[in-house]
Amino acid sequence: STGEKYREMSVAEFFAKNKELAGFANPTRALYQTIRELVENSLDATDAKGILPWIHISIRQIEGSEGRGGRPRYTVTVEDNGIGVPVTSMAMAFGKVLFSSKYVIRQTRGMYGLGVKAAILYGQMTAGTPVEVYSATKGSQYVYMMKLVIDVQRNEPRILERGEWNKRGSWHGTRVTLSLEGDWSRAKSKILEYIKRTAVIAPYAEIILETPDGEIYYFPRSTRKLPKPPRESKPHPHGVDIEQLKSMLRSTRASTLREFLVKEFQSIGDKTAQDFLEKYGLDPDLKPRELLKKGRDKLLRRLADALMEYPFRAPKSDYLSPIGSDIIEIGLRRMFNPEWVGAVSRSPKAYRGHPFIVEVGIAYGGGIEARSEPLLLRYANKIPLLYEEREDVSYKVVSSINWRQYNVDFPAPLVVLVHIASTKVPYKGVGKESVSDVPEIEAEIRNAVQEVARRLRLYLSRKAREEEAIRRSVT
Ligand code: ADP
Ligand code: MG
């Protein structure tokens, strides 16, 4: 024997032991991340479903709650008017790490099936209390409630209490309450900033935040215009690897390879399928399951390689949901009251089979404070990103721009907003705070910033000429 002790660990235990990976490194980050995960879920359940969001957030300090090391504990409640969680999935959605309704090809804020469970686990470990969920779906006649904890060893929900009530009126939505150790005094500025930046790009949402200091921050709805909700889509052949191909072959109802291609992928029609199969000498009538049999792995690899290589039509983008340049301008105006705003929503591009859209807004002057560098507002799939700024691709681009070319001399009152929308945002970590510098994305951000900056230059030079003319006429 080697003397080593071997055992396996559940994914719940893994995240319980490695809290910082999901953004829960300390009580400050934990409180911020909890708000963020709950608000993200609420927004996914509203704007992505065509519902004008109403989100109520409350953070209360638990009296006499100083636990280990004198750290205070808080109770956080987030309520929304979203689509709700069906009672049949409720326990799993909140009690099993890596369980999600968002493992589909569609732009959503959530993507890992981790967020709310990471918050619940953290709460369990630091406050020892269960999560309490109330939810009603649109069609349901009932409101359901569950109190549960996550069984860390088994990664399963353990339900402690449940209830159901006849629904009065037509309420639908979700209310989640959990307690955790936190540090409001340190987290406050980040949480306020997070909500503020959410309101910038979601001026169609009504958001209310009640703080432990007894303050209420109210962000009224300033437009009823909603971005087009994303549709669900099939994978693009350029984005599929061998393992994914295998699982698609296993689950398909298609009876031939040709049918499989047309049915299971986007960007492949009858004609393309025929041309593709001919080009690579693949049998159109081959049964999909045949490819999974022993001794067929060479053929399988050939198909996988061919799918990567063939010049299929670019990915569709109707499963993306950009914010839109008009909403970006409305949001920037409301938040900063600037002298000038401009925004652009670029046309879709793709990296490795994943479509993405870059949007940029610039605000200048007016109520904006002059700073030594642009104030950068980063967003990915409509989530504001506040930490790890210097590691982010948007920072890399924006800080490398020569602003003098655009008649901006620092210190200057300049805000630059960058939004990356994709079915697969290449985050650097599961805490989702910074985006990797994928070359295609980097190039698009540069194009977008330059496009809006050119308009700003035009405005600034016109203004300078007018001022010059006035100065001359006066003297
Ligand atoms: P993710 O958001 O990445 O899917 P989460 O652990 O945060 O992972 O949430 C798990 C699932 O629970 C979501 O996919 C969603 O189906 C459901 N859910 C969580 N919060 C809400 C909510 N406020 N409204 C509707 N569904 C929700
Ligand atoms: Mg989530």
Side-chain angles (χ1 to χ4, degrees), residues 41-42 45 80 84-85 93-94 99-102 110-117 174:
N41 283 349
S42 289
D80 62 59
V85 190
F94 292 91
F99 184 91
S100 172
S101 61
K102 302 171 197 169
M111 62 190 274
Y112 298 122
L114 172 66
V116 73
K117 274 82 77 176
T174 303

Side-chain angles (χ1 to χ4, degrees), residues 195-306:
I195 303 293
K196 221 171 112 177
R197 290 193 189 187
T198 298
V200 168
I201 56 144
Y204 48 79
E206 182 177 355
I207 305 175
I208 302 143
L209 167 67
E210 280 182 62
T211 73
D213 316 322
E215 292 170 317
I216 294 183
Y217 291 84
Y218 178 56
F219 297 88
R221 182 173 288 139
S222 62
T223 174
R224 297 183 70 82
K225 197 174 154 65
L226 263 184
K228 171 184 67 76
R231 294 228 308 258
E232 190 181 328
S233 179
K234 301 171 196 168
H236 188 275
H238 288 172
V240 169
D241 59 34
I242 299 182
E243 278 306 317
Q244 197 181 344
L245 183 59
K246 276 191 194 164
S247 93
M248 289 168 73
L249 287 163
R250 220 172 284 134
S251 62
T252 187
R253 293 227 182 94
S255 52
T256 66
L257 183 53
R258 184 200 164 96
E259 198 188 332
F260 169 72
L261 292 171
V262 175
K263 234 181 161 157
E264 306 295 346
F265 291 93
Q266 56 161 297
S267 305
I268 307 186
D270 285 320
K271 253 185 68 190
T272 308
Q274 181 153 353
D275 185 59
F276 171 81
L277 292 163
E278 263 170 34
K279 183 169 174 193
Y280 294 96
L282 294 159
D283 175 9
D285 295 320
L286 192 70
K287 289 198 173 51
R289 304 266 189 306
E290 279 289 313
L291 280 158
L292 295 167
K293 290 198 174 143
K294 266 209 178 112
R296 287 304 192 119
D297 24 336
K298 252 207 190 127
L299 187 60
L300 181 75
R301 264 204 308 275
R302 226 173 82 208
L303 174 62
D305 289 346

Side-chain angles (χ1 to χ4, degrees), residues 175-193:
R175 194 175 91 194
V176 181
T177 303
L178 56 88
S179 300
L180 73 158
E181 204 173 82
D183 188 337
W184 168 250
S185 61
R186 292 229 172 100
K188 178 176 182 177
S189 63
K190 285 285 187 198
I191 290 173
L192 290 181
E193 195 58 29

Side-chain angles (χ1 to χ4, degrees), residues 11 19 78 107 118 124 162 177 196 249 264 278 331 338 404 407:
V11 59
K19 300 184 277 291
V78 175
Q107 177 193 324
Q124 244 171 262
R162 59 199 305 168
T177 303
K196 221 171 112 177
L249 287 163
E264 306 295 346
E278 263 170 34
R404 292 202 97 150
N407 293 357

